[in-house]
Structure formats: C-alpha cells, structure tokens
Amino acid sequence: MTDVIIENERIKELGPNLSSSSAEVIDLKGRTLMPGLIDCHVHVIAALADLGANGRLPDSLITARALVLMRNMLMRGFTTVRDVGGADHGLIQVTREGVFPTPRVLTSGNALSQTGGHCDFRGRFNSDPVPFSKIPLGALGRICDGEQEIRRAAREELKGGADFIKIMANGGCASPTDPIHFLGFSRQELLAVVEEAGNAGTYVSAHLYTDQAIRRCVECGVHSLEHCNLIERDTAVFAASQGAFAVPTLVTYDKLVSEGAEKGFPAEALAKVDTVRKAGMDSLSVMREAGLTMAYGSDLLGDMQCHQSEEFVIRGRVLPAQEVIASATHNAAKLLRMEGQIGTICPEAYADLIVVNGNPLEDLALLTEQGGHMPIIFQGGQIIKRQELS
Ligand SMILES: [Zn+2]
C-alpha cells in the first residue's frame, strides 16, 4: 500500500504510511492508481471526418466542438494530449485558462504540407491559390513549397506558440490527390524544417506510412514518426539508433473501415485505407523487435473520436499490456519532453492521476468505455471526476 500526497497542482510525497494534518484523505480501497493517460496524436479541431468540409466550417463552430471533443478526452482519462495539426494558440490559451475541462494540450499549430500533399484538400479541379494567412481553424494545416516557404511557415507556427512542427511527408488517406506512396517535400525542404525546429529547441513530427518515406525523414533528422504502418525492419532499427519515436495510430484505420462511410469520410479516401490498415498490426512487432520506442496515438476524426481508448486493446493483441500502458505514460512523456512532469507518479510531477476499478495490466479494456471504469480523475491536482468508492 502506498500513499500519495498532492499539494496544489503537483505530487508532494509518495510512500507508505504518510500523513498530513490538513489533507482530505481518499481511500481507494484496493483500486489501481495510475498516471493520467497521454495521447500523442489527436486533432482537436477535427469536428468532421471529412477534413475538406471541416476546413470550410466557421471558426466559432470549430471552437465550440473542439471544447466538447477535449472534454470527452479528459473524461476518458487523457489528462494530456498532443495535437498534431490544427489547434491554434487561441484554443491552447482557452485550455490554460481552466474555465473548460480539457486535457493539457501541446500543439504543432498548422501542419505543413506541400501543394497536392496531405493538407491540400482542393482536389483535382480546383486551382485556387492557397491562403498564406487567415487559415480557417478547421483546416488541419497549410500549404508551403520550397525551402524559403517552409522555413517561413515553420517560423510563423513557432511564433504562434507551436510546441513542435508537424509536416506531411507522405501521401495520406483523407486527402484527395496524394496516393500513399507519394513522398512529401524534397530533402532540402526536410532539412530546412528540421533546422528551423532545432533552432527553436524543438523537433519535427512527420506523417508517414511507407518505409522509403520513413527512412528519408529519419535521415533528414525528423524525430517523431507518425503512423509508420509500412515500416520495415532495417528502417526501424535505423530510426531507433537515431533516437526517433514512432506513434502508431491503428484504431483510426479500424474505425474508418467500419464507420467511415456513414460518418462522412469520402469514398475515394476510404479506398486507400485498406493498404495501411492491414500492415499496421505487423508494424507493431517490427518496431518492438527493432527497439524503436512507441508512443500512444489515436488520430480519430469527427464522431469517431469516441473510440480514442480502443487503441489500448488493439495494441494489446500484439504487445504486452505493460508496454502498451508505457506508450501512453512514460514513453509519451519522453516524446513530449515532459519527463518527470507527466506520465508518472513521483514527487514534483503534476498530480494527473486516474483511479481504475481493477488492474489494467490484466485487462486493457478497463481503460475503454469512456472512462466508465475510472471513478476518479485528477488533473493538475484538481478533481475532474469523483464517484463514491464502495
Ligand atoms: Zn493525424
């Protein structure tokens, strides 16, 4: 039995038989206490599964829906999330003011994409110029071409408070004119954006599927490798040797196949999903054997965001439960460069804690069902949810 003393927003002390004269005591009666969960790949502005249509919604509607999406994440036990495309600093400011219940959010601001890349939703027959400013909040990203433009775009996102830079370096499912095998950006552009992020003391995260795209990005210094469905052994070993992280997002492909069409995901985009979905499960073993560190990601869009916690169960079919939980706690904190602050229960860390009925190491499904097995959720020392414990 261990006691945890929380003072203000942080954990003060940890150990057996602690006491404090002023503290309120909560007896967990044998339940599991664990660090709040961390999802390293979300899009809080993705109110709709059709990202092209999402980008045409008014900012007010996107903001309101993002607050609902973020509250639901928190109630599932995700006390911190990393937004990899879309959330602007206004939205981040709202999360910090503490008026609305939301996870702690780190953001890339707009993701960067080349013309015809994964953030170009204009389609074949629209050659309207792309906006360089006043980008709608519902757009996941912005278009930039050439070394000069990508540097400027990265600098603008960093000026706007981005915690890291997100780039689209491979074709994608949700966008209309970029097959999966397309490589996004030239090597020169990749090196330029990695330099810009490095100059600001941070890193680049890249949307990637194919082995070739992953290898090229790691060679250019990209640190956070999103999706990685088609990664092969040698590249995984190379990425691990470079200290890169992988963020698989398998649940989103499952749900796009089972629910995508009815939730408005475009039919032509759906056809691309199967290529990456089938390889996804194998990628977990490939990366594990290569020693490539994995962090938790869900990448769900629109109404499908309710399945955020099911990634635990999907990964648990291939990986030990302890490693799956580490991906959403210890590994995620490392990727977010918040080690010792989040994803852990130790003195000085934020008091981001969840109480679970039962032991998730024995049953990862206890982390699903919208926080239904979590009677208590703390974030930064604040009680977010509290049910009577019997
Ligand atoms: Zn994504």
Side-chain angles (χ1 to χ4, degrees), residues 253-325:
Y253 310 108
D254 262 28
K255 297 303 167 189
L256 283 170
V257 168
S258 57
E259 300 178 7
E262 117 201 29
K263 299 278 165 69
F265 195 72
E268 62 279 13
L270 208 50
K272 299 201 246 177
V273 174
D274 243 16
T275 321
V276 295
R277 187 178 78 107
K278 288 185 180 136
M281 293 306 279
D282 298 333
S283 73
L284 294 178
S285 318
V286 169
M287 291 189 279
R288 178 171 195 244
E289 278 157 31
L292 178 56
T293 308
M294 285 180 262
Y296 191 93
S298 58
D299 196 23
L300 290 155
L301 308 174
D303 292 344
M304 290 176 278
Q305 299 210 20
C306 64
H307 302 297
Q308 185 179 22
S309 314
E310 288 167 41
E311 179 79 13
F312 284 106
V313 179
I314 294 174
R315 291 196 194 185
R317 290 179 198 141
V318 177
L319 303 174
Q322 190 270 338
E323 289 180 26
V324 180
I325 290 173

Side-chain angles (χ1 to χ4, degrees), residues 41 43 227 299:
H41 194 125
H43 299 284
H227 318 302
D299 196 23

Side-chain angles (χ1 to χ4, degrees), residues 40-304:
C40 298
H41 194 125
V42 302
H43 299 284
V44 305
I45 54 85
L48 300 175
D50 182 340
L51 293 175
N54 198 70
R56 294 187 292 273
L57 293 179
D59 289 0
S60 52
L61 184 57
I62 293 288
T63 304
R65 289 194 181 168
L67 289 170
V68 175
L69 288 169
M70 288 191 283
R71 180 196 64 204
N72 294 344
M73 291 177 184
L74 182 59
M75 299 317 280
R76 287 177 206 119
F78 287 93
T79 47
T80 302
V81 299
R82 185 180 69 152
D83 188 282
V84 285
D88 71 352
H89 211 69
L91 212 47
I92 301 301
Q93 182 64 31
V94 171
T95 69
R96 291 190 184 150
E97 287 172 0
V99 179
F100 299 96
T102 72
R104 182 177 288 108
V105 184
L106 285 89
T107 184
S108 63
N110 281 300
L112 314 185
S113 159
Q114 68 168 48
T115 288
H118 188 41
C119 284
D120 192 338
F121 291 97
R122 289 175 299 174
R124 294 259 180 259
F125 308 121
N126 177 350
S127 53
D128 290 346
V130 291
F132 286 98
S133 60
K134 301 208 168 48
I135 296 157
L137 184 59
L140 214 75
R142 57 191 288 181
I143 312 293
C144 50
D145 292 293
E147 199 185 316
Q148 201 177 339
E149 273 185 23
I150 200 170
R151 284 188 191 274
R152 188 169 95 144
R155 289 172 188 176
E156 284 181 358
E157 295 307 326
L158 290 162
K159 168 180 166 290
D163 297 292
F164 62 100
I165 297 296
K166 170 77 183 292
I167 61 169
M168 300 305 193
N170 212 179
C173 297
S175 39
T177 52
D178 55 336
I180 299 297
H181 68 88
F182 272 29
L183 298 176
F185 294 118
S186 66
R187 269 180 196 268
Q188 241 180 350
E189 289 166 311
L190 295 176
L191 290 168
V193 74
V194 166
E195 183 181 29
E196 291 302 329
N199 288 351
T202 186
Y203 64 91
V204 172
S205 142
H207 160 95
L208 296 161
Y209 291 121
T210 67
D211 191 67
Q212 185 193 12
I214 298 166
R215 175 165 283 270
R216 198 175 72 117
C217 272
V218 176
E219 284 169 357
C220 292
V222 170
H223 180 63
S224 179
L225 313 170
E226 313 302 312
H227 318 302
C228 291
N229 299 48
L230 304 166
I231 194 168
E232 289 170 25
R233 189 183 167 279
D234 288 355
T235 298
V237 169
F238 174 55
S241 75
Q242 298 303 298
F245 283 66
V247 187
T249 60
L250 300 173
V251 64
T252 198
Y253 310 108
D254 262 28
K255 297 303 167 189
L256 283 170
V257 168
S258 57
E259 300 178 7
E262 117 201 29
K263 299 278 165 69
F265 195 72
E268 62 279 13
L270 208 50
K272 299 201 246 177
V273 174
D274 243 16
T275 321
V276 295
R277 187 178 78 107
K278 288 185 180 136
M281 293 306 279
D282 298 333
S283 73
L284 294 178
S285 318
V286 169
M287 291 189 279
R288 178 171 195 244
E289 278 157 31
L292 178 56
T293 308
M294 285 180 262
Y296 191 93
S298 58
D299 196 23
L300 290 155
L301 308 174
D303 292 344
M304 290 176 278

